[in-house]
Amino acid sequence: HSGPPALLVGRRSIGRRRRRWHHLRVRNLKSWITRNLGGLPEEDDAAREQAGNLAVAALLVEVLRADYDVADDERRQVVASIRGLLGLDDAQCEQLLSEAEGRVDRAHDLHQFTAEINREFAHDEKLRLVEQLWRVAAADTTVHKYEEHIIRRVSDLLHVSHREFIAAKLRAAGG
């Protein structure tokens, strides 16, 4: 019965090589993501803060562009939201907005932004962000269905409940 055990041993060694190859591919993929999509070392607080700020601005830009009509009032609201959420001055807000627009142009989905926010922000900060997303959507006096859809998706990805989503909408509409 030496035939079947040799075959199993052969499969096991192939399996080990595949697992080792898989680990190398995963490590290379993580390295590529870090280099090309803005992954940051854990110890670099300033870079992490900048990445979080960029993610916030990018989500505001996503809502700004959701209805394919970028009104001046909405753009002003994005700058005001960045200033209020992140405590930046006008020049810093404009620079961050410009960077965020470039990042959104290259983005494939919302997850890269919401993942960064989930890592860096507390739940109450996420609620403030959702409220500001609503303010951007309503800045032109009409909340388009695409804007609402983006805010709903962002809220889900940020682990904001439906009740909190509605409360943020009402707060934004009330003032």
Side-chain angles (χ1 to χ4, degrees):
H1 293 203
S2 63
L7 183 60
L8 288 175
V9 169
R11 284 185 182 165
R12 285 186 194 133
S13 66
I14 289 172
R16 277 188 227 119
R17 277 183 273 176
R18 282 186 183 151
R19 280 192 298 274
R20 193 174 20 209
W21 174 244
H22 173 74
H23 291 300
L24 288 173
R25 286 189 315 199
V26 169
R27 190 173 33 200
N28 287 338
L29 178 61
K30 286 180 181 177
S31 174
W32 183 88
I33 288 170
T34 299
R35 279 193 320 273
N36 295 300
L37 299 179
L40 301 167
E42 289 295 320
E43 64 276 4
D44 193 353
D45 290 339
R48 283 199 337 251
E49 180 181 349
Q50 176 61 19
N53 290 353
L54 187 57
V56 166
L59 292 176
L60 292 163
V61 168
E62 289 281 4
V63 173
L64 173 70
R65 294 179 174 180
D67 63 357
Y68 304 103
D69 179 29
V70 178
D72 290 339
D73 290 339
E74 287 177 313
R75 189 170 179 82
R76 279 191 292 276
Q77 181 59 52
V78 168
V79 172
S81 294
I82 292 171
R83 187 182 318 107
L85 288 167
L86 304 176
L88 303 176
D89 65 33
D90 287 343
Q92 292 170 317
C93 289
E94 288 293 340
Q95 181 181 354
L96 185 61
L97 179 55
S98 177
E99 289 177 42
E101 287 173 326
R103 181 63 75 84
V104 167
D105 289 341
R106 294 185 308 275
H108 298 284
D109 59 19
L110 298 170
H111 185 265
Q112 61 189 300
F113 307 126
T114 57
E116 185 65 38
I117 291 168
N118 281 330
R119 273 192 301 275
E120 299 300 324
F121 289 79
H123 191 72
D124 64 317
E125 294 171 311
K126 294 176 193 179
L127 296 177
R128 288 182 53 225
L129 172 59
V130 171
E131 181 179 337
Q132 292 303 315
L133 295 174
W134 280 116
R135 289 183 190 280
V136 170
D140 63 355
T141 68
T142 304
V143 176
H144 192 277
K145 65 182 179 180
Y146 294 147
E147 292 169 326
E148 185 164 353
H149 177 73
I150 292 272
I151 299 169
R152 175 75 258 166
R153 285 180 44 215
V154 167
S155 295
D156 287 344
L157 291 168
L158 293 178
H159 313 292
V160 170
S161 72
H162 184 69
R163 182 183 56 77
E164 293 167 324
F165 167 80
I166 296 299
K169 181 179 183 177
L170 294 174
R171 282 191 310 274

